[in-house]
Amino acid sequence: MNDWYKKMAFYQIWIRSFKDGNEDGIGDLYGVYDKLEYIKSLGVDGIWFSPLYPSPNADYGYDIADYKDIHKDYGDLGQFKKVLAKAHDLGLKVIMDLVVNHTSDEHPWFLESKKSKDNPYSDYYIWRDAKKGKLPNNWESLFEGKAWEYCHERDQYYLHIFAKKQPDLNMDNPKVREEVKSIMRFWLDMGVDGFREDVINFISKKEGLPNGLPFIPMANGMPYYKDGPHIHDYLAEFREVASEYDCFLLGEGPMTTTKSALKYMTGHHKNLDMMFNFDHMMADCFMTEYIHRPFDLRRLKKAFSKWQYELNGKAWNTLYLENHDHPRIISRYGDEKHFHRESGTMLAASYIFQQGTPFIYQGQEIGMTNIHLRDIEQYVDVSSKTNFYRFHTDEPLSKRMARIYHSSRDSSRTPMQWNGEKYAGFSGAKPWFYVNSNYKKINVETEEKDPYSILNFYRKCLKLRKDNDVFLWGSYKEYFKGHPFLYVYERAYKDKRMLVVCSFADRPLALRIPREYEKDKSRCRLRLILDNYPREDRLKGLLKPYEVRIYEIL
Ligand code: NOJ
């Protein structure tokens, strides 16, 4: 089986906000085409496209109405093929989002399915009768109240783990699985290189759909739809299709643990090559951003190290700090106000040098930050508007807005900041969503010119990782576990060792070197190979705020 994905780094595009190429205020494949050289210049080797398919956008593309076409806002299949060909010419792989836990309620399958109980699509979704006049069970949707929606035509309820407009597919139906395989073949035959499989650990539901007890708001029922009884059989079927091609499969696994993730990534079928986990995204919240708590570096380190140690030699890690589902990382784990550049660069090195394949989300490479809009009505993301807001109705408005500032997925979906001109150079027309007001300062053009910018630091990190086998294949060891402000890890491979020292403090901090290096004096010489401060600003024996140093141990 191939393992080219291990050496790679990926760039994620959430197209609506990436670059508008036809001046209608919406990002599209024309814009992507023009920016492929920029993407390549970062030092990445592949692109993951969040959904590009036709969709009513109840969940911005994750509610698909046609799996085999391109949304007209973004172009058409012809333009997609051009992007794919140019990406390949530049040496970039392309992976698509495969969202098959649910479709849009405007997908033709659902439109048919809801008509009656006996049509060819009637069993494509999870339909149930009311139970003694009540809902079929007590499950909650992760986005919008109860997980069941009533349909007059069938006099039945359908299940939706996400929004009402995202009915769950019935993966137990072999015809549905054949549809999934046909979708995979469609894109693989066109030349795409793999899939990111959306909430893939949710696709098999427990027989009987038992009530969730004790009751957990929003996630009620999750133990019965996460890692369900047939999940590995279904994924093995999908793997079989993938194995006809030189293709790789990356699964998104909300709430997954190392133990369950290993079941997906190992074994005879190795149903997934890699998996996104969420543990390290909860160093300042519970339930991925819904409930805020103060950032604690020890929590972050624990999550990072757990995955590094427990996957070592068995499976391959997926490294990320941002995507379209999480607010911007500098606004969370860094200091956007006082140490924007310093914390943005340090955060980059904190994860890119771990073992695994790094992902960089559009705008992360220039240090984009969270947006603060005045009114809840200005937010467009379904999870900001519904469950999340609903959950805190007893709080004063100001407090609820503060939560939104901290947690809304809209913060990662503002238009990409290309330059300091009108609309941040994203489009000549008024963009579909608000541009962050800091675009004059934070943008690609400005950062291109500054050798110490976040953008150029990402480039340096990605190059360093690629040029040194130790960062690709080396073992991982964490030092100073209990330290509240320092994150220190070593990578070792053959006779080479590297040490990554990250300060998460907003004031100078004593530089600490693992004691065992000092004991072994002959191996204690450190050669600095990367730092996020210019030489003249560095202090001896001290780390400046949010400083990161990468040493080779000689
Ligand atoms: C995970 C996706 O990343 C997210 O954006 C989406 O809302 C849910 N899955 C539902 O598809």
Side-chain angles (χ1 to χ4, degrees):
M1 205 171 284
N2 75 65
D3 66 356
W4 43 256
Y5 57 87
K6 292 185 178 171
K7 295 186 191 161
M8 295 178 63
F10 275 91
Y11 190 76
Q12 183 196 347
I13 294 183
W14 196 81
I15 194 163
R16 206 168 183 79
S17 286
F18 183 64
K19 174 71 185 152
D20 178 13
N22 65 357
E23 305 292 311
D24 62 356
I26 299 173
D28 51 40
L29 287 167
Y30 310 104
V32 172
Y33 188 88
D34 291 343
K35 291 293 179 191
L36 286 174
E37 286 86 356
Y38 165 77
I39 295 172
K40 176 76 184 172
S41 82
L42 300 174
V44 298
D45 318 275
I47 297 171
W48 152 31
F49 278 112
S50 274
L52 303 172
Y53 320 104
S55 160
N57 282 337
D59 186 16
Y60 286 103
Y62 285 89
D63 48 321
I64 297 172
D66 182 352
Y67 287 91
K68 297 182 179 171
D69 203 352
I70 296 291
H71 196 302
K72 62 178 177 7
D73 285 351
Y74 309 143
D76 54 24
L77 280 171
Q79 184 59 23
F80 177 77
K81 287 179 190 161
K82 284 189 191 157
V83 168
L84 184 62
K86 184 171 169 189
H88 283 164
D89 284 349
L90 289 168
L92 297 168
K93 303 257 186 202
V94 173
I95 66 170
M96 302 293 272
D97 226 306
L98 186 67
V99 187
V100 293
N101 177 67
H102 44 266
T103 69
S104 162
D105 65 345
E106 296 180 34
H107 193 291
W109 300 337
F110 189 77
L111 297 177
E112 284 303 309
S113 187
K114 73 177 196 181
K115 281 186 186 157
S116 66
K117 292 179 187 163
D118 53 5
N119 69 70
Y121 295 90
S122 56
D123 203 19
Y124 265 46
Y125 295 85
I126 301 175
W127 293 98
R128 290 291 183 277
D129 294 328
K131 244 189 191 159
K132 296 188 191 140
K134 292 202 178 125
L135 298 178
N137 71 17
N138 69 358
W139 292 7
E140 294 249 305
S141 130
L142 287 166
F143 282 172
E144 258 186 314
K146 298 290 171 201
W148 296 97
E149 191 65 12
Y150 182 69
C151 169
H152 279 287
E153 287 102 317
R154 284 182 64 140
D155 185 25
Q156 277 189 315
Y157 289 87
Y158 67 84
L159 179 73
H160 62 92
I161 299 297
F162 292 91
K164 289 178 190 162
K165 285 183 70 64
Q166 291 171 296
D168 279 52
L169 281 164
N170 174 16
M171 208 51 76
D172 296 335
N173 180 346
K175 284 196 221 146
V176 172
R177 303 202 296 280
E178 286 312 310
E179 300 277 12
V180 174
K181 293 180 218 172
S182 146
I183 296 163
M184 290 174 76
R185 287 205 173 89
F186 178 84
W187 294 103
L188 291 168
D189 285 340
M190 203 180 292
V192 311
D193 304 288
F195 297 100
R196 175 262 190 194
E197 301 184 347
D198 188 69
V199 293
I200 202 65
N201 53 344
F202 288 5
I203 64 169
S204 164
K205 276 83 177 169
K206 179 148 173 86
E207 285 85 1
L209 311 179
N211 275 329
L213 293 170
F215 188 81
I216 322 164
M218 290 189 304
N220 207 38
M222 196 181 274
Y224 301 118
Y225 61 74
K226 186 166 78 79
D227 303 328
H230 306 293
I231 183 79
H232 297 291
D233 303 333
Y234 298 162
L235 290 190
E237 290 185 28
F238 304 158
R239 165 60 89 190
E240 213 149 302
V241 174
S243 62
E244 295 164 19
Y245 303 78
D246 181 22
C247 152
F248 111 110
L249 300 177
L250 158 65
E252 186 207 24
M255 305 297 155
T256 200
T257 58
T258 46
K259 196 166 160 229
S260 72
L262 280 167
K263 291 195 187 136
Y264 290 82
M265 296 187 285
T266 57
H268 169 58
H269 283 291
K270 199 169 175 286
N271 290 334
L272 296 174
D273 296 300
M274 306 197 317
M275 251 184 134
F276 278 122
N277 85 84
F278 287 57
D279 285 356
H280 62 289
M281 300 313 292
M282 289 190 261
D284 66 348
C285 62
F286 296 103
M287 295 183 71
T288 45
E289 288 105 37
Y290 280 113
I291 303 168
H292 182 214
R293 56 182 171 176
F295 171 70
D296 185 338
L297 176 63
R298 281 165 296 207
R299 233 179 263 138
L300 178 67
K301 296 195 293 185
K302 196 170 164 203
F304 275 158
S305 293
K306 186 175 170 53
W307 283 82
Q308 288 291 305
Y309 288 130
E310 292 183 22
L311 265 55
N312 187 31
K314 298 183 189 139
W316 197 247
N317 265 292
T318 311
L319 311 171
Y320 77 99
L321 284 179
E322 283 193 14
N323 62 38
H324 64 294
D325 287 336
H326 304 284
R328 296 290 184 174
I329 203 67
I330 300 185
S331 307
R332 300 178 56 182
Y333 296 179
D335 183 339
E336 64 172 50
K337 208 160 158 207
H338 306 101
F339 297 105
H340 175 260
R341 190 199 66 80
E342 295 78 359
S343 60
T345 45
M346 181 279 294
L347 284 163
S350 75
Y351 84 105
I352 284 179
F353 295 109
Q354 293 178 26
Q355 191 187 69
T357 299
F359 282 70
I360 293 143
Y361 176 64
Q362 67 188 43
Q364 178 186 345
E365 78 277 20
I366 54 167
M368 283 176 64
T369 60
N370 285 357
I371 193 163
H372 293 188
L373 300 170
R374 259 172 293 117
D375 194 336
I376 179 72
E377 293 308 324
Q378 292 172 287
Y379 286 83
V380 293
D381 169 40
V382 59
S383 76
S384 303
K385 292 178 90 73
T386 55
N387 247 353
F388 177 69
Y389 202 57
R390 183 190 71 126
F391 203 52
H392 300 286
T393 40
D394 50 337
E395 290 179 344
L397 190 63
S398 59
K399 208 159 172 205
R400 286 156 83 189
M401 287 312 289
R403 283 182 189 281
I404 297 268
Y405 294 160
H406 193 269
S407 313
S408 174
R409 303 196 299 182
D410 283 331
S411 274
S412 54
R413 300 173 179 190
T414 61
M416 176 76 182
Q417 296 164 202
W418 293 102
N419 59 40
E421 286 158 32
K422 200 171 180 197
Y423 305 136
F426 163 73
S427 172
K430 189 167 186 265
W432 74 279
F433 192 53
Y434 303 93
V435 174
N436 195 312
S437 58
N438 60 21
Y439 72 94
K440 289 217 156 96
K441 229 178 75 205
I442 301 174
N443 64 64
V444 174
E445 197 176 277
T446 307
E447 296 199 22
E448 286 283 9
K449 294 180 206 143
D450 173 4
Y452 289 99
S453 65
I454 299 179
L455 174 60
N456 282 317
F457 196 76
Y458 268 93
R459 289 187 171 123
K460 286 179 205 161
C461 290
L462 290 170
K463 178 158 182 350
L464 193 61
R465 171 184 178 272
K466 194 166 282 174
D467 290 347
N468 286 279
D469 276 357
V470 59
F471 289 126
L472 298 177
W473 314 117
S475 59
Y476 166 98
K477 183 167 179 186
E478 190 197 344
Y479 291 95
F480 309 117
K481 253 165 77 181
H483 198 297
F485 298 111
L486 262 188
Y487 175 41
V488 180
Y489 63 95
E490 180 197 81
R491 301 291 311 277
Y493 184 64
K494 298 188 176 161
D495 55 356
K496 209 161 182 168
R497 285 198 293 173
M498 296 279 194
L499 191 72
V500 181
V501 181
C502 307
S503 166
F504 279 73
D506 57 5
R507 55 184 186 281
L509 198 71
L511 171 67
R512 302 268 308 268
I513 298 298
R515 211 172 284 143
E516 63 189 64
Y517 288 16
E518 280 161 17
K519 269 196 247 149
D520 181 4
K521 287 280 183 209
S522 61
R523 303 201 57 183
C524 176
R525 247 168 12 97
L526 303 178
R527 186 166 70 99
L528 186 63
I529 53 172
L530 186 65
D531 193 309
N532 60 345
Y533 276 84
R535 178 189 284 267
E536 58 278 15
D537 290 354
R538 286 179 217 146
L539 302 171
K540 203 163 182 304
L542 282 182
L543 292 168
K544 301 254 306 192
Y546 293 101
E547 185 167 354
V548 58
R549 293 189 189 175
I550 295 158
Y551 289 109
E552 182 172 359
I553 303 153
L554 301 171

